[in-house]
Amino acid sequence: MIEIKVAELMAKMTLEEKVGQMVQHSGAEEITGTVARDINYKTDRIKRGLVGSMLNVTSMKKIREFQQMAVQHSRLGIPMIFAYDVIHGYKTMFPIPLGETASWDMDVLEAGASVAAKETAASGLHWTCAPMMDTMRDARWGRVMEGAGEDVCLNVQAAIARIKGFQGDDLSKVDTIAACAKHFAGYGFAEAGREYNTTEIGNVTLHNQVLPPFKAAVKAGVATFMNGFNELNGTPVTANKYLQRDLLKGEWNFDGLVVSDWGSIVELMNHGVAKDEIQAAELAVKAGSDMDMEGFSYEVALVDLVKSGKVDEALIDDACRRILTLKFQLGLFEDPFKYCD
């Protein structure tokens, strides 16, 4: 069983290697945010087994090269997961999600996601940062085209359809990829439609309009969640324990991994809730963020935070377990290069 294999592997891992699994770095082929480290820094850490995932590596040749660094040079040979923003097709382009959803044809949505999954997997990638299931009511927000619109019921059905299309019925199949429910939560209600902004949402709106698509995603078996850049009622969602630990991993019993949005952990400093990247890492990991996307807070701070007693190592173990479980589900331990054929 996967649980036994994960436990056996973790028993061999150092604290540094466990934290390494919680680190996601971007490649240099495509840039979707501010890059704070050069590729030489990243390849050195990959070879030491201190990077768990990469995104924005878009050629099979480069994916194979990076994967070889991880499995052939590191002590334990743990493969990486490769992610990409597959929003409305990979090679074959489909209508934007908002337009596609306007068809009200969930079979079309599922079929489109399935085609995208096949093309994505055939290019060496394992994981898409989609679907976006933010309920949104303000057309001024620049990302309205990426979601399913303002209707909660339609958002729920669209989320389920796209997850089924991406993931199929078995993640280990070579033509399926892991989906990601984003952005958890409230990002679509950003004040005045301004990106990265404050959201003020009452409990009725939160639980009846914002959260239902995400709860449906858990029931549909989505493999991963992504938190967001926004603040929700005074607390940035990346550091929101109620959302991530109490609700998602607790009440909803989600057993997959939660990845930050690009640099959203270090941006806790911009929100004014963390004085430095060390405190940002502490707040995020305690809240339930399992993987740091191109933020560098975790790799800089988590080991020392555990050794100083400020962070319980059980939190590191929980995050590492979730990440390794997905890698086993994808079949990467059996063949790290199965998607590079």
Side-chain angles (χ1 to χ4, degrees):
M1 294 178 65
I2 289 178
E3 293 86 354
I4 296 174
K5 293 178 180 178
V6 169
E8 290 175 346
L9 178 57
M10 287 185 61
K12 303 174 185 176
M13 297 173 71
T14 64
L15 174 61
E16 288 78 5
E17 288 167 335
K18 292 174 184 176
V19 169
Q21 289 301 301
M22 301 168 67
V23 172
Q24 184 182 67
H25 283 324
S26 176
E29 292 179 282
E30 209 169 285
I31 304 300
T32 51
T34 302
V35 177
R37 303 287 193 280
D38 64 29
I39 199 66
N40 292 326
Y41 168 89
K42 296 173 182 179
T43 55
D44 174 68
R45 296 188 67 84
I46 291 168
K47 290 177 181 179
R48 293 160 56 196
L50 301 179
V51 179
S53 174
M54 294 192 74
L55 76 160
N56 293 340
V57 184
T58 57
S59 71
M60 188 183 297
K61 178 182 177 182
K62 292 299 296 184
I63 290 172
R64 180 176 284 274
E65 288 178 4
F66 283 126
Q67 193 73 295
Q68 284 175 331
M69 293 179 194
V71 301
Q72 297 177 6
H73 292 272
S74 66
R75 185 176 74 91
L76 294 174
I78 300 174
M80 293 189 293
I81 309 174
F82 288 85
Y84 189 66
D85 279 318
V86 183
I87 305 302
H88 55 101
Y90 184 71
K91 293 294 185 181
T92 303
M93 289 292 103
F94 294 95
I96 60 172
L98 184 62
E100 193 177 54
T101 307
S103 71
W104 287 77
D105 190 334
M106 297 304 110
D107 291 337
V108 166
L109 272 64
E110 183 176 342
S114 179
V115 170
K118 289 177 171 63
E119 293 181 348
T120 304
S123 300
L125 295 158
H126 317 133
W127 182 14
T128 175
C129 300
M132 191 179 89
M133 51 192 70
D134 296 295
T135 303
M136 45 207 166
R137 305 282 165 79
D138 193 334
R140 293 174 295 181
W141 189 44
R143 298 185 72 166
V144 293
M145 78 292 290
E146 195 180 340
E150 63 184 2
D151 184 82
V152 179
C153 179
L154 187 55
N155 258 291
V156 167
Q157 297 307 313
I160 294 170
R162 291 190 170 109
I163 291 165
K164 288 182 178 178
F166 285 131
Q167 296 190 170
D169 58 6
D170 184 356
L171 275 180
S172 69
K173 290 182 178 179
V174 76
D175 61 349
T176 64
I177 57 176
C180 185
K182 69 180 189 183
H183 303 84
F184 195 63
Y187 194 31
F189 277 68
E191 188 177 79
R194 292 195 293 267
E195 181 76 326
Y196 288 56
N197 207 356
T198 296
T199 54
E200 291 283 346
I201 305 173
N203 282 333
V204 173
T205 300
L206 179 65
H207 286 273
N208 290 284
Q209 299 180 32
V210 173
L211 294 178
F214 294 100
K215 188 173 183 178
V218 174
K219 291 182 178 179
V222 72
T224 68
F225 263 62
M226 182 187 295
N227 55 44
F229 294 115
N230 61 294
E231 177 187 88
L232 176 62
N233 300 334
T235 302
V237 294
T238 301
N240 194 308
K241 179 179 177 292
Y242 167 72
L243 282 178
Q244 295 174 106
R245 289 215 181 272
D246 298 346
L247 187 65
L248 178 62
K249 295 179 178 180
E251 184 178 330
W252 294 354
N253 199 32
F254 175 65
D255 59 2
L257 73 93
V258 178
V259 62
S260 79
D261 210 333
W262 185 292
S264 70
I265 294 177
V266 72
E267 284 180 10
L268 293 176
M269 292 187 290
N270 298 350
H271 281 290
V273 300
K275 64 181 179 181
D276 53 29
E277 59 189 3
I278 298 172
Q279 188 178 19
E282 180 181 354
L283 290 171
V285 75
K286 286 181 176 179
S289 296
D290 300 312
M291 183 176 283
D292 182 3
M293 179 193 293
E294 192 68 14
F296 304 95
S297 295
Y298 278 5
E299 63 192 74
V300 168
L302 279 188
V303 171
D304 288 340
L305 284 168
V306 172
K307 290 181 177 179
S308 68
K310 292 183 178 179
V311 169
D312 190 338
E313 189 169 355
L315 298 181
I316 309 299
D317 288 342
D318 178 62
C320 183
R321 176 188 60 78
R322 292 169 183 271
I323 295 162
L324 293 176
T325 296
L326 179 58
K327 294 182 179 186
F328 275 108
Q329 290 171 339
L330 290 165
L332 294 175
F333 282 96
E334 294 179 9
D335 181 4
F337 308 103
K338 64 180 285 189
Y339 294 79
C340 294
D341 185 345

